[in-house]
Amino acid sequence: MRSRWITAWVLALASCGSPRSPSALASAKPELLSPADLLPNDLDFVIRVDSERVGQIPVFAEAARELAKTNTSPLLRAVAPAVGGSSAIFVGGRLMADGFRGDGVVAIEQGVSADDKRQAAPVGPAFRPLADSPPHTSVFERPAAERDEPVLEVVLETRGLVLATPAEADAVLRVLRAGPDRDRLVPPVRGLVSFAGKVRGTRGPAGLSSVWQGLADGLVQYMGSVEADDAFRVEADLTYASAAQAESAVKAASGKVERLGLFGPAFRSMADSVRLTQNGQAIRVRATVPFAIVATLH
């Protein structure tokens, strides 16, 4: 149950106007080496899943198959067939003012030999190919549908594919035309899951637990990873607008961590594992989350 929960949690993050004319697409830059290069810089967070490792863990793979049978988001259903055999999955999204999290981009890196070409086919019958796609690239689009449905598909030969919802389709085409954004979010390549995000205005990062709400005030960006062995091991680096706000965040979070032990032995174990280290405007967070805690969230 606990392994099914974490797989569902990772994949569910994918649920978070029509693309422009393709006339300028032929000028795409050759430095597009990976589907993740097409992630635009307007995303608030990007999560990387090491799907090659997940696929090697039978219980995780089975949980993913079961999840695919459920009533998941249109974006997730569209990418499900391409997940098998992938090496990594990137899920990027924006936090909307109305709380909606369905706008986003999914990039799937192909996990096969570079000599093998991915079939350039649309993910749905409503998609139509664009005639002026760049070399070794196939672009498909369909009229704008629901907010969380993919309207753009980019297939990079031997590399993988990218799907985008209406809010991000124009941005993906811009990157395809001009080359990767230098300031785009890039999660570290480590752990079963890694993540990177930035906070605009007063909004906090996606899915922040109330336990860690004290860390949100003044936060401007974050990056980290999650490893899974006998428990979930979390490491994150948080950057604040000022050293004073970082210090305040450490104090606020420390008090809440101390109270975790009141909820039982598993929470006490987690509280004892938390380490908050401040260095100027930056805080490094380390924590171990027992599977018993995750199971209660299923």
Side-chain angles (χ1 to χ4, degrees):
M1 176 180 293
R2 61 175 178 259
S3 57
R4 178 177 180 180
W5 185 92
I6 182 58
T7 307
W9 173 77
V10 170
L11 293 177
L13 289 166
S15 321
C16 3
S18 298
R20 295 173 184 166
S21 168
S23 58
L25 289 182
S27 62
K29 303 298 182 180
E31 59 264 26
L32 289 171
L33 302 178
S34 162
D37 290 339
L38 286 174
L39 296 173
N41 61 2
D42 67 347
L43 299 172
D44 289 328
F45 63 89
V46 175
I47 297 169
R48 180 186 185 274
V49 181
D50 189 337
S51 52
E52 197 164 41
R53 283 186 57 198
V54 169
Q56 294 171 355
I57 304 174
V59 290
F60 280 19
E62 177 61 25
R65 286 191 291 269
E66 290 297 319
L67 180 67
K69 299 176 184 177
T70 65
N71 185 25
T72 53
S73 76
L75 187 57
L76 174 56
R77 289 197 299 271
V79 302
V83 170
S86 64
S87 61
I89 303 170
F90 294 81
V91 179
R94 290 192 294 158
L95 305 183
M96 311 302 287
D98 59 2
F100 181 75
R101 300 181 184 179
D103 293 316
V105 181
V106 175
I108 300 179
E109 287 188 351
Q110 192 167 337
V112 298
S113 168
D115 295 330
D116 296 329
K117 295 183 180 180
R118 179 178 185 84
Q119 182 180 3
V123 294
F127 282 84
R128 294 292 181 265
L130 299 184
D132 297 331
S133 298
H136 309 294
T137 302
S138 298
V139 182
F140 304 89
E141 67 173 348
R142 69 173 179 179
E146 299 296 326
R147 292 175 66 179
D148 59 348
E149 292 185 350
V151 297
L152 177 73
E153 176 186 7
V154 179
V155 180
L156 301 178
E157 186 179 277
T158 77
R159 299 297 182 182
L161 65 85
V162 176
L163 289 177
T165 58
E168 293 298 332
D170 279 342
V172 171
L173 286 181
R174 171 183 57 76
V175 176
L176 181 62
R177 183 170 58 246
D181 288 331
R182 295 185 181 276
D183 56 345
R184 72 186 188 280
L185 294 170
V186 181
V189 183
R190 66 172 185 263
L192 195 66
V193 178
S194 57
F195 53 88
K198 52 192 172 185
V199 181
R200 307 172 195 269
T202 58
R203 292 177 296 174
L208 189 65
S209 166
S210 60
V211 173
W212 300 105
Q213 194 61 48
L215 290 171
D217 189 25
L219 183 65
V220 294
Q221 64 183 34
Y222 55 96
M223 178 179 294
S225 63
V226 180
E227 188 57 273
D229 38 52
D230 58 336
F232 292 111
R233 306 188 187 283
V234 181
E235 291 189 5
D237 293 303
L238 316 178
T239 303
Y240 290 80
S242 68
Q245 287 174 309
E247 182 179 2
S248 177
V250 169
K251 291 179 179 179
S254 297
K256 293 184 178 181
V257 168
E258 282 298 317
R259 293 194 288 273
L260 279 175
L262 301 176
F263 295 97
F267 286 90
R268 169 49 59 189
S269 174
M270 175 181 169
D272 291 341
S273 75
V274 174
R275 298 291 182 269
L276 300 172
T277 306
Q278 181 188 357
N279 182 13
Q281 295 175 237
I283 297 175
R284 171 156 291 186
V285 181
R286 294 182 179 178
T288 299
V289 183
F291 285 135
I293 293 178
V294 176
T296 65
L297 304 176
H298 186 278

